[in-house]
């Protein structure tokens, strides 16, 4: 008898995915249509997941019962991706946990895990605003210690506020996205927000989401010096080769102009 389950980081419970006794099997939960046992030989109990999605990342557990013998193994599925801080148009520290989770999902991403945030910090993420992550704790990654970010005496690291009240406490969000099944491209013009959306639709596309732009920057090396509208009403542009007239910052990244008036006809648009 083989049972596969997934450990949910937000509540540490296990969700059953598949149970089989060799002759019969039953799939459970949202993963149900996309999982099967590999069966490459008689004793193969490997789990196969098709059309892997962002929410599939995490820890999985396999339990094997053979007569009186009981064996268990855990493993972690890691996705290559990029972590980005996210706040809404009305300013910093506006999300409770559930709103942060929803905001990331609306931008084609999900709340980052601690491991993802830590890896992003080792790769240079330096951000002074605290944000929710998937397990309901709140952190912020600091490379360069400075006064507004806990003071110069605190060492660099992923600073933590610990677990917070998911309903009452309000912070930003750290979102995680991975490689796209699609392409992000820029349309030049002087468009307001409504015209930007229409320009993408005229090409059989949709206005890009923030997570999609970050993914194109990370995995497709999208590099443009032009600010463009995105689906949340923000204006951003991706830089892989920093240069003087593209924001002047020395590191690659997705630059932001914030949330200008949607009537402003200054920018092009990024489509997906």
């Amino acid at each position: 008898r083989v049972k596969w389950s997934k450990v949910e980081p937000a509540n540490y419970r296990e969700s059953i995915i598949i149970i089989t006794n060799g002759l019969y099997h039953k799939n459970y939960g949202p993963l149900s249509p996309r999982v099967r046992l590999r069966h490459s030989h008689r004793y193969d109990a490997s789990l196969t997941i098709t059309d892997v999605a962002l929410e599939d990342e995490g820890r999985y557990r396999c339990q094997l019962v053979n007569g009186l013998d009981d064996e268990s193994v855990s493993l972690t599925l890691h996705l290559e991706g990029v972590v980005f801080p996210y706040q809404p148009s009305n300013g910093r520290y506006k999300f409770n946990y559930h709103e942060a989770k929803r905001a990331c999902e609306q931008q084609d991403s999900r709340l980052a895990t601690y491991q993802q945030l830590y890896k992003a910090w080792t790769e240079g993420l330096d951000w002074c605003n605290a944000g929710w992550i998937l397990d309901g704790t709140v952190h912020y990654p600091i490379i360069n210690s400075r006064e507004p970010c806990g003071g110069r005496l605190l060492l660099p690291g992923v600073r933590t506020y610990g677990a917070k009240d998911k309903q009452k406490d309000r912070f930003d969000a750290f979102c995680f996205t991975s490689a796209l099944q699609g392409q992000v491209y820029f349309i030049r013009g002087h468009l307001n927000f409504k015209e930007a959306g229409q320009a993408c639709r005229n090409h059989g596309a949709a206005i890009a989401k923030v997570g999609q732009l970050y993914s194109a920057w990370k995995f497709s090396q999208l590099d443009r010096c032009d600010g463009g509208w995105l689906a949340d009403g923000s204006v951003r542009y991706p830089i892989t080769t920093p240069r003087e007239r593209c924001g002047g910052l020395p590191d690659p990244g997705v630059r932001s102009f914030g949330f200008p008036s949607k009537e402003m006809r200054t920018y092009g648009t990024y489509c997906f």
Side-chain angles (χ1 to χ4, degrees):
R1 183 168 174 268
V2 176
K3 179 174 82 172
W4 276 97
S5 54
K6 187 169 189 281
V7 182
E8 304 297 345
N11 51 27
Y12 301 105
R13 288 193 311 210
E14 288 192 17
S15 301
I16 297 173
I17 299 170
I18 189 169
I19 295 178
T20 177
N21 63 2
L23 295 174
Y24 305 102
H25 74 273
K26 187 169 183 183
N27 293 10
Y28 297 85
L31 269 170
S32 178
R34 299 189 287 116
V35 294
R36 60 180 175 81
L37 292 190
R38 189 171 60 182
H39 286 315
S40 64
H41 55 78
R42 185 180 171 192
Y43 298 107
D44 184 10
S46 304
L47 184 71
T48 298
I49 305 174
T50 57
D51 299 324
V52 172
L54 285 173
E55 59 268 21
D56 297 341
E57 176 156 286
R59 193 152 64 91
Y60 291 78
R61 188 160 171 255
C62 176
Q63 289 174 280
L64 174 67
V65 180
N66 185 18
L68 295 176
D69 294 327
D70 192 349
E71 194 171 337
S72 172
V73 63
S74 291
L75 56 89
T76 302
L77 171 63
H78 290 291
L79 298 181
E80 285 297 309
V82 56
V83 172
F84 61 94
Y86 189 75
Q87 56 184 223
S89 57
N90 56 344
R92 71 197 285 261
Y93 293 177
K94 299 296 183 185
F95 294 135
N96 67 23
Y97 172 81
H98 305 288
E99 291 163 346
K101 188 169 182 286
R102 198 156 52 244
C104 288
E105 289 165 358
Q106 287 168 349
Q107 295 310 314
D108 202 48
S109 58
R110 70 190 295 247
L111 278 175
T113 64
Y114 182 81
Q115 289 77 14
Q116 289 163 347
L117 182 62
Y118 182 85
K119 185 171 186 284
W121 170 73
T122 67
E123 293 171 351
L125 182 61
D126 182 282
W127 197 255
C128 207
N129 293 346
W132 294 102
I133 63 171
L134 188 60
D135 65 3
T137 56
V138 174
H139 308 266
Y140 64 104
I142 293 296
I143 302 287
N144 302 306
S145 298
R146 50 202 187 274
E147 284 308 324
C149 305
R152 296 179 186 277
L153 298 179
L154 275 181
L155 292 173
V158 179
R159 313 263 175 82
T160 180
Y161 288 7
K164 290 295 185 180
D165 188 305
K166 291 182 179 180
Q167 292 287 355
K168 296 178 183 175
D169 290 323
R170 295 191 172 268
F171 297 95
D172 291 345
F174 285 106
C175 304
F176 172 84
T177 192
S178 191
L180 288 172
Q181 298 292 320
Q183 181 189 6
V184 173
Y185 60 94
F186 181 74
I187 294 179
R188 193 181 295 276
H190 298 284
L191 310 169
N192 64 28
F193 178 71
K194 188 175 180 182
E195 291 166 344
Q198 188 59 53
C200 292
R201 287 192 292 275
N202 291 345
H203 283 241
I207 190 166
K209 298 177 179 179
V210 177
Q212 292 166 342
L213 186 66
Y214 268 93
S215 178
W217 165 73
K218 173 83 171 179
F219 294 102
S220 304
Q221 285 72 53
L222 185 63
D223 183 286
R224 283 211 69 111
C225 211
D226 306 281
W229 291 103
L230 296 177
D232 66 340
S234 65
V235 172
R236 304 174 197 248
Y237 62 101
I239 295 294
T240 55
T241 306
R243 45 210 187 269
E244 201 171 311
R245 298 196 175 185
C246 293
L249 295 174
D251 299 313
V254 174
R255 319 277 196 242
S256 174
F257 287 119
F259 294 84
S261 165
K262 289 186 176 180
E263 301 307 314
M264 189 179 285
R265 281 193 170 92
T266 306
Y267 306 105
T269 183
Y270 287 96
C271 303
F272 172 71

